Amino acid sequence: MLYPPTNFRFSSPVDGSDSDQEVDNKMASQRRRQVSRSPGACVHCKSLKVKCEFKPGESICRRCQAGGHNCLARTRKKRKPAPTHEDLQARAHHQDLQIQQLLLQFDKLRADSKIQESITRVQSIRPPDIKKSLMLRKWSSKARTPEESIQISFSPGVENLSPPDIVKYCELYAEEIMYLFQIFFDRINPFFSILDPELHTPQNLIWTCPFLFTVICAVASRYYEEKPTMYLMAMEFARDAAGWALIDGSKSVDVCQAYLLMAVYPIPKKKWAEDRSWLLMGVAIRMAIELELNQPPPDTCSEREKLNRTRTWLNCYCVDGSHAIQFGKMPMLRLDDYLARHSREWYRLSMTLPYDVHLCAYVHIIIIVAEFRATMTNEAESQDFDVVSLALRTEARLSHELSGWVEIYAQEFSNNPLQICLYRGNTTQMITAYLRLVVLTVGFQHAVKSELSRNSQILQRSIKAAREVIQIMAERLFPTGNLRFAMGANFLYVSFAAAFLINLLRPTLLRLLDEKTQYEIVQDVQNLIGILGTGGVAIDARHTPALYCRFLSSLLAKHHPVSPQTTSESPISDSSIASFPSDGQFSTSSLTSWPDIMYDVHKHQHDSSPTHEAFFQDGEVDMDLSLSHFVRTVNQGYPTPPDPTPYVDIYSSAQRWDFQGSYAAMSFADLWRT
């Protein structure tokens, strides 16, 4: 097929130059707009929600030209950079600090409210003495507030230091604090010589160890007559300080000493089950081992600090041994302790205290009793084991050990004739007689099941030891006027001796005593009851001697119904003694049953059978004359405090004791604040 020819026309540059140039300009203008403006409407048109309309060749939209607005293209908002991992951690840490600060403020408000309630309650019970308050104002005349007084006296030139809470809430000025420390070192430390007055000064302890500072002030306030309402409140601060020190994981010799002081001088409780002395003692001993106080002091310590470390450890050893004997538990510390075994000459070192010789004597007496208890445990299942002979031999060892220390006491007294040292020497003799009785009652318990005559050696020695305990307290300790400052354990010793003698008056054992011995026993016990009930010994109805006075009166009334004699001192009123223990600390129906085997009260409500296997002889229940049973009976049916720790070798344990981790995991408030 043939197509017609097509005529092609080529435009010349001269003919189409104007039209081509116009097209190129439009395209360039569009490209410039595309480059200079971002897609979409400008800022003004976007606010009106309309599109931009441009005139050909213009970069400004018609609406902006008409209104005289700046035709600005919208730009994309710049995004913030994502926070890094370090930024998030810093922000979380800052928030944690804010939360902790708020919690501390809340705890402080709650603590302040509780303290104010305690102050109001204490003042309602015993209103302050106006005359004594005027004397206190003389002390406070140098400063407007207790904090200012502390700042002037104990930290001159140093600011922003916060004293312990006991200073603020008990309103203790610097002069009062010095007076409380004087009371402590005059009336308390001689009986439990654990602190050195050259090291433990208020100027030092108030900043270096507020816990020990609080404990010293609280314990001494018991005998601060100018502020009779301070003691209970001060001991609350001491308990709180003990809890915080335990949670914070603070470990030092001062903290260990503070725990021991609180264990030996606890606040009186209405119920024995509320007492936490065993917990404090366990913490102190554990901490002492962690601080390696059971090892010879390092050479880097000063001479006085070396003595301070050794003195603290020996006191730990004695407190642990005494607790184990009282409750029939295994001691936490080993019998072959190096420092205890090699402490016989320790008191001769320079810069020791006058009372250190009595501490050394007590250590070696405790060792003899510990060896006796270890032998009893190891030979308990042996058929040929003679308990009575072992008890007699141990009692003879204790007497021989004491005679050697009595000679040493006489030499030391001639070199340093302090009357308080003479008192401490008599106290050691009383404690030794008490321990002799503890050992002899074990043999007496076995001998009484067989034929026992009046001339039996175990009987005669037991009576002699028990009467010696009472006579030392009545004839040597009481006339000095220092019994009101003695440790509560001393009254336990004499009460156990008196209770043993009283129970010899029961019908089944009365045949073992002649009339003269019966009369002497009654006279000794009546004299002791009168001493314990006097105002010169018992501070108030809550004091330990007043409580044991009521206990012995009830026990004597059961076996010898005569009224006890009283001394010339003004006694604590019977109503005041009886009113306090009404909650159940001393109940006549239960306490007068010692040494009979007790029934489980809770089980007896559902089952008539006794908890222990009782043997009835001559119409009476079998007796348990041991000290541990005496303590459990005094606890009046409450469970005996458990061991602070299982009996393990805490010396060779590879795992270190973590105070902060282990105790923070337990509910300390439930254990301590009950």
Side-chain angles (χ1 to χ4, degrees), residues 284-347:
I285 294 175
R286 285 284 193 176
M287 186 177 295
I289 296 173
E290 281 296 304
L291 296 171
E292 297 183 348
L293 300 186
N294 57 324
Q295 303 295 331
D299 296 334
T300 56
C301 296
S302 63
E303 291 299 324
R304 195 172 292 277
E305 183 60 30
K306 290 180 180 179
L307 296 175
N308 184 46
R309 291 172 62 91
T310 303
R311 185 182 298 110
T312 303
W313 177 252
L314 294 180
N315 276 285
C316 287
Y317 189 87
C318 292
V319 171
D320 176 55
S322 177
H323 178 272
I325 294 171
Q326 289 181 23
F327 291 95
K329 304 289 185 179
M330 293 297 296
M332 293 179 62
L333 304 181
R334 296 198 307 197
L335 184 60
D336 58 344
D337 181 77
Y338 175 81
L339 287 184
R341 291 283 184 179
H342 295 80
S343 62
R344 186 175 294 273
E345 302 293 330
W346 174 76
Y347 71 94

Side-chain angles (χ1 to χ4, degrees), residues 208-327:
T208 60
C209 188
F211 176 27
L212 180 56
F213 173 86
T214 302
V215 171
I216 292 175
C217 293
V219 174
S221 65
R222 179 71 164 169
Y223 311 104
Y224 187 22
E225 298 179 356
E226 286 77 9
K227 281 189 176 180
T229 61
M230 175 184 168
Y231 173 67
L232 295 179
M233 186 167 55
M235 290 301 293
E236 288 293 328
F237 286 111
R239 283 207 314 181
D240 291 340
W244 283 112
L246 196 61
I247 295 173
D248 294 341
S250 303
K251 289 190 292 185
S252 67
V253 179
D254 293 339
V255 174
C256 178
Q257 292 167 339
Y259 280 122
L260 275 181
L261 279 172
M262 291 195 66
V264 175
Y265 289 93
I267 186 172
K269 292 294 182 181
K270 290 186 178 181
K271 296 180 181 178
W272 286 92
E274 296 177 357
D275 184 59
R276 291 292 176 266
S277 299
W278 58 273
L279 173 62
L280 298 168
M281 181 202 69
V283 174
I285 294 175
R286 285 284 193 176
M287 186 177 295
I289 296 173
E290 281 296 304
L291 296 171
E292 297 183 348
L293 300 186
N294 57 324
Q295 303 295 331
D299 296 334
T300 56
C301 296
S302 63
E303 291 299 324
R304 195 172 292 277
E305 183 60 30
K306 290 180 180 179
L307 296 175
N308 184 46
R309 291 172 62 91
T310 303
R311 185 182 298 110
T312 303
W313 177 252
L314 294 180
N315 276 285
C316 287
Y317 189 87
C318 292
V319 171
D320 176 55
S322 177
H323 178 272
I325 294 171
Q326 289 181 23
F327 291 95

Side-chain angles (χ1 to χ4, degrees), residues 17-254:
S17 60
D18 293 338
S19 61
D20 292 341
Q21 185 67 30
E22 185 177 349
V23 173
D24 293 339
N25 292 336
K26 287 183 178 180
M27 294 178 65
S29 176
Q30 291 177 358
R31 284 195 298 268
R32 283 195 300 268
R33 284 201 304 267
Q34 291 176 357
V35 173
S36 62
R37 298 182 62 88
S38 60
C42 66
V43 176
H44 179 63
C45 294
K46 181 66 177 178
S47 64
L48 300 176
K49 297 184 178 181
V50 295
K51 293 182 178 180
C52 291
E53 296 179 359
F54 293 93
K55 292 180 180 181
E58 297 290 341
S59 62
I60 301 176
C61 67
R62 294 177 178 179
R63 199 167 284 103
C64 289
Q65 286 181 350
H69 302 291
N70 292 329
C71 189
L72 301 176
R74 290 187 306 109
T75 57
R76 179 174 294 180
K77 293 182 180 180
K78 196 174 183 180
R79 292 185 178 180
K80 294 181 180 180
T84 62
H85 181 67
E86 290 76 11
D87 294 337
L88 294 176
Q89 282 185 331
R91 188 184 304 173
H93 179 66
H94 179 68
Q95 292 175 350
D96 289 341
L97 292 179
Q98 288 181 331
I99 293 173
Q100 291 180 3
Q101 189 68 22
L102 292 175
L103 290 176
L104 289 176
Q105 293 178 4
F106 176 74
D107 291 340
K108 187 176 184 304
L109 291 175
R110 188 169 58 178
D112 291 344
S113 176
K114 184 177 180 181
I115 290 171
Q116 293 299 330
E117 292 178 359
S118 301
I119 294 174
T120 304
R121 183 174 63 255
V122 171
Q123 290 180 349
S124 63
I125 297 174
R126 300 184 67 175
D129 192 335
I130 298 178
K131 294 182 179 180
K132 294 175 181 178
S133 299
L134 293 176
M135 187 271 292
L136 296 177
R137 291 178 186 175
K138 295 180 181 179
W139 285 0
S140 61
S141 60
K142 297 180 181 179
R144 292 172 297 178
T145 62
E147 293 86 348
E148 184 179 347
S149 175
I150 298 300
Q151 190 77 21
I152 296 173
S153 302
F154 295 158
S155 57
V158 182
E159 299 181 356
N160 299 326
L161 292 177
S162 178
D165 290 339
I166 191 174
V167 174
K168 175 182 177 181
Y169 293 102
C170 293
E171 298 182 353
L172 293 179
Y173 290 81
E175 294 84 357
E176 290 181 275
I177 293 174
M178 298 295 294
Y179 183 56
L180 287 173
F181 268 70
Q182 180 182 352
I183 292 176
F184 180 86
F185 284 106
D186 290 345
R187 299 300 187 183
I188 298 174
N189 201 60
F191 306 99
F192 185 59
S193 54
I194 188 173
L195 300 184
D196 187 345
E198 297 295 329
L199 292 177
H200 302 92
T201 61
Q203 295 87 345
N204 180 32
L205 292 180
I206 192 172
W207 309 123
T208 60
C209 188
F211 176 27
L212 180 56
F213 173 86
T214 302
V215 171
I216 292 175
C217 293
V219 174
S221 65
R222 179 71 164 169
Y223 311 104
Y224 187 22
E225 298 179 356
E226 286 77 9
K227 281 189 176 180
T229 61
M230 175 184 168
Y231 173 67
L232 295 179
M233 186 167 55
M235 290 301 293
E236 288 293 328
F237 286 111
R239 283 207 314 181
D240 291 340
W244 283 112
L246 196 61
I247 295 173
D248 294 341
S250 303
K251 289 190 292 185
S252 67
V253 179
D254 293 339

Side-chain angles (χ1 to χ4, degrees), residues 214 372 391 427 534 570:
T214 302
F372 166 77
T427 303
T534 59
S570 58

